[in-house]
């Protein structure tokens, strides 16, 4: 029995080491991508070459096939219920990395003036989501993912053009879904699931809709897109403090 307990403890420690390695790699990749975008912004020739490459149909097809293959492998592992906790990289890690690169590559081919600030923000946001997913409970991960959708929606409303109008409408509907989804996930961590509790995501959702309405439709002068973004990020930080305190209390 003692030998079995030692084996179990050692296996658990190995899984923690694998997870730490994965998080370290994703953090390093985040830093590399940030410096790459900064370098790309200051190097016109490289940006132009990448734009020309991403416009070619053959390269788009290859990138799309790779993304679909990684997603298919991820779904396969989930269906087969494979334990990937001891693998160097899981199917979700591979799919996330491939889809991130593919998404950025296709985005580059759809615009000649890409928003470097948006790309850097999304890179940092995706890395933080990965860390949150592995450190916190699923309720904070759902809350964080929801706020990323809220922030993206506010950004889309600040842009012009038909494609952004359509994307804004889709993301606004997605905001409502994420709000409901986060509430359902949070219910799994309540002692009394039947009791109605005001979740932080409700405030995030209402604040986002209010600020978008004031800035885009009503036209309040001092409610600009920058103010909207800062307000959403500020309230998310406060929500993060709330979930961190709750996690520390539960750990005691």
């Amino acid at each position: 029995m003692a030998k079995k307990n030692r084996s179990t403890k050692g296996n658990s420690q190995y899984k923690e080491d694998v997870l730490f390695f994965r998080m370290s790699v994703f953090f390093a990749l985040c830093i590399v991508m940030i410096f790459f975008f900064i370098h790309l912004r200051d190097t016109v020739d490289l940006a132009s070459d990448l734009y020309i490459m991403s416009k070619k149909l053959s390269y788009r097809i290859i990138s799309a096939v790779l993304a679909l293959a990684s997603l298919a492998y991820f779904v396969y592992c989930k269906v087969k219920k494979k334990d990937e906790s001891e693998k160097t990289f899981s199917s979700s890690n591979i799919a996330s990395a491939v889809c991130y690169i593919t998404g950025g590559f296709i985005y580059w081919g759809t615009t000649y003036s890409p928003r470097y600030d948006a790309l850097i923000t999304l890179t940092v946001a995706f890395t933080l989501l990965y860390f949150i997913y592995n450190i916190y409970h699923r309720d904070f991960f759902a809350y964080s993912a929801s706020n990323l959708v809220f922030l993206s929606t506010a950004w889309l409303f600040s842009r012009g053009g038909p494609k952004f109008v359509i994307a804004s409408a889709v993301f606004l509907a997605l905001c409502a879904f994420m709000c409901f989804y986060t509430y359902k996930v949070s219910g799994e961590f309540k002692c009394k699931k039947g009791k109605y509790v005001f979740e932080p995501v409700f405030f995030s959702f209402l604040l986002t809709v209010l600020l978008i309405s004031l800035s885009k439709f009503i036209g309040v002068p001092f409610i600009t897109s920058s103010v909207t973004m800062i307000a959403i990020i500020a309230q998310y930080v406060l929500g993060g403090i709330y979930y961190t305190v709750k996690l520390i209390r539960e750990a005691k």
Side-chain angles (χ1 to χ4, degrees):
M1 181 64 71
K3 185 177 180 180
K4 184 178 180 181
N5 289 336
R6 286 197 300 270
S7 177
T8 303
K9 185 176 181 180
N11 189 48
S12 177
Q13 181 62 48
Y14 180 74
K15 290 180 179 179
E16 291 180 3
D17 292 340
V18 170
L19 180 58
F20 178 77
F21 174 76
R22 291 176 183 175
M23 294 172 70
S24 300
V25 169
F26 270 80
F27 178 77
L29 287 176
C30 175
I31 300 300
V32 169
M33 290 307 300
I34 289 173
F35 279 102
F36 173 72
F37 288 133
I38 294 174
H39 176 68
L40 202 61
R41 182 188 60 189
D42 300 330
T43 311
V44 179
D45 293 337
L46 180 60
S48 299
D49 292 340
L50 184 60
Y51 175 76
I52 294 171
M53 185 185 300
S54 60
K55 291 292 288 185
K56 292 183 178 180
L57 181 61
S58 57
Y59 286 106
R60 289 191 178 191
I61 292 175
I62 292 172
S63 61
V65 169
L66 289 174
L68 290 174
S70 66
L71 289 173
Y73 177 64
F74 168 71
V75 173
Y76 171 78
C77 292
K78 286 297 180 183
V79 172
K80 292 295 184 178
K81 297 181 179 179
K82 289 189 174 183
D83 183 11
E84 300 180 272
S85 58
E86 296 185 7
K87 289 186 176 180
T88 304
F89 295 106
S90 65
S91 59
S92 61
N93 295 149
I94 297 171
S96 299
V98 174
C99 289
Y100 166 80
I101 295 173
T102 301
F105 185 74
I106 293 175
Y107 167 73
W108 209 268
T110 59
T111 176
Y112 192 71
S113 56
R115 294 295 301 266
Y116 293 96
D117 55 343
L119 289 170
I120 292 174
T121 300
L122 286 175
T123 300
V124 174
F126 289 149
T127 306
L128 286 176
L129 281 177
Y130 181 70
F131 274 67
I132 291 170
Y133 182 84
N134 289 290
I135 297 175
Y136 289 82
H137 293 308
R138 294 296 177 265
D139 55 343
F140 184 45
F141 172 76
Y143 172 77
S144 300
S146 296
N147 272 270
L148 179 58
V149 173
F150 299 158
L151 189 66
S152 301
T153 304
W155 181 79
L156 287 170
F157 269 98
S158 68
R159 307 291 290 171
K163 63 180 181 181
F164 286 106
V165 172
I166 297 173
S168 299
V170 173
F171 265 72
L172 192 59
L174 184 59
C175 285
F177 170 78
M178 290 300 296
C179 183
F180 173 75
Y181 171 74
T182 303
Y183 174 70
K184 296 294 290 184
V185 171
S186 298
E188 299 176 3
F189 298 94
K190 296 174 187 174
C191 296
K192 298 179 180 179
K193 296 183 180 180
K195 186 177 179 181
Y196 178 85
V197 178
F198 186 87
E199 293 291 337
V201 71
F202 292 157
F203 177 76
S204 302
F205 176 71
L206 293 174
L207 179 66
T208 302
V209 173
L210 177 63
L211 290 173
I212 290 175
S213 300
L214 292 175
S215 61
K216 186 68 178 179
F217 302 109
I218 299 177
V220 178
F222 60 89
I223 305 295
T224 62
S225 59
S226 299
V227 171
T228 301
M229 299 280 191
I230 293 172
I232 295 174
I233 293 173
Q235 63 81 33
Y236 169 72
V237 172
L238 293 176
I241 295 173
Y242 163 77
Y243 279 104
T244 301
V245 171
K246 188 171 73 168
L247 181 67
I248 294 173
R249 287 181 176 178
E250 290 174 355
K252 291 180 179 180

